[in-house]
Amino acid sequence: MKNHYLTCLAGFLAMTTVACGNQNGKETSLTTDSAYKNHVSYIYDGVFLSDTGCCDTLSRPDDPLFASGYCIRIPVISGKHSNLKHLQNLIQSDLQKQAEYCSKKPEGNDLFVKTGFHYTVDDSLLSIVVETLTSHYLSEAVSEFCVYHYDLKNNRILTTSDLLTAWGMSQIPLLNAIAEQVTLPPDHSVPLYRSDWFETIRWNDLNKLKLYRDSLQQITVIYPVAENGIESTFIIQ
């Protein structure tokens, strides 16, 4: 996806006001509540994480339990390290479609889109997990994820392979755990994930695997569901 950014995203990068702090290892969520708009967190030496977006929703007149419209919150990373700009460019490129909802009025009353994120700082490793939930009226909601990892101490974006190295973890036990645990009960012989996805991360490109570690040090794997390709999550034990 090519980079061309919305004014609301680009302009927000200039903000440097600190609103609050975050302790290392604590998982923090910047919600889609309008009260958190333009929230800025100091997360590391000279590094700030904030959010930008919009929230424009309306309840259906025939079903007030369903709200249509958009509620978008997109992470904005900034600071003194030059490579943070590359990370922010990647985030903006990946989430361009979500950001564009903020430049138009909701169409109809059958669609609801919500984008939010949370982050963890484990020692000097930053992980940002963005989830976009899309729901059509009377249909099951679906989710898609973007995950970003950054070494705050050494100022570089991390691939999945880099992250496992930083964790001191081998990919073989992890892949074996995915194969053994992300399965359909009760007999656990049928995988929940798409087989071509697993073959890709196992033999061709481990960096296609999206995962993160939460504040409890649990590893969460994001995988495409076998039956429809929709993304879901699973905590590896």
Side-chain angles (χ1 to χ4, degrees):
M1 189 180 294
K2 300 295 183 181
N3 292 341
H4 79 248
Y5 310 132
L6 298 179
T7 303
C8 66
L9 285 171
F12 193 78
L13 289 174
M15 295 187 61
T16 57
T17 303
V18 179
C20 67
N22 178 55
Q23 299 298 318
N24 284 355
K26 182 178 180 181
E27 184 174 354
T28 304
S29 175
L30 298 187
T31 72
T32 54
D33 191 299
S34 60
Y36 286 86
K37 187 176 182 180
N38 295 349
H39 179 99
V40 182
S41 290
Y42 176 85
I43 61 170
Y44 198 77
D45 182 27
V47 179
F48 304 89
L49 185 63
S50 54
D51 65 314
T52 188
C54 60
C55 200
D56 187 1
T57 62
L58 182 66
S59 295
R60 286 178 62 94
D62 58 339
D63 188 350
L65 295 179
F66 182 85
S68 61
Y70 319 126
C71 221
I72 309 296
R73 287 290 174 268
I74 293 174
V76 177
I77 186 78
S78 60
K80 62 183 181 181
H81 305 142
S82 59
N83 283 335
L84 289 175
K85 295 181 180 179
H86 298 304
L87 175 59
Q88 183 58 34
N89 287 343
L90 179 62
I91 292 172
Q92 288 180 259
S93 177
D94 290 344
L95 301 176
Q96 178 180 329
K97 178 181 177 181
Q98 289 87 331
E100 287 176 347
Y101 283 118
C102 292
S103 65
K104 57 186 179 181
K105 289 288 186 181
E107 298 178 3
N109 55 6
D110 292 331
L111 174 66
F112 175 70
V113 179
K114 176 180 178 180
T115 296
F117 68 95
H118 70 267
Y119 68 93
T120 58
V121 180
D122 181 12
D123 192 8
S124 61
L125 301 179
L126 167 67
S127 295
I128 304 174
V129 182
V130 183
E131 179 180 5
T132 297
L133 182 146
T134 302
S135 176
H136 293 271
Y137 185 58
L138 298 181
S139 298
E140 182 180 359
V142 300
S143 290
E144 59 179 325
F145 296 84
C146 292
V147 182
Y148 308 93
H149 304 288
Y150 192 85
D151 184 338
L152 293 160
K153 183 177 181 180
N154 297 299
N155 309 319
R156 66 189 186 105
I157 299 172
L158 301 179
T159 64
T160 301
S161 295
D162 295 332
L163 186 66
L164 293 183
T165 298
W167 287 347
M169 177 180 294
S170 170
Q171 70 180 57
I172 296 176
L174 175 61
L175 292 172
N176 288 341
I178 293 173
E180 293 171 1
Q181 297 180 34
V182 190
T183 53
L184 188 65
D187 58 4
H188 298 283
S189 61
V190 179
L192 292 172
Y193 51 79
R194 259 178 29 197
S195 59
D196 60 326
W197 166 81
F198 188 73
E199 291 302 304
T200 296
I201 64 171
R202 184 177 184 180
W203 301 113
N204 300 319
D205 189 356
L206 181 67
N207 294 320
K208 296 293 185 182
L209 172 61
K210 291 185 272 189
L211 78 168
Y212 62 94
R213 195 157 63 181
D214 63 20
S215 58
L216 300 177
Q217 301 296 298
Q218 299 177 120
I219 295 176
T220 297
V221 169
I222 299 167
Y223 66 94
V225 179
E227 60 187 21
N228 51 27
I230 295 169
E231 289 187 319
S232 188
T233 61
F234 192 94
I235 296 176
I236 298 295
Q237 303 298 324

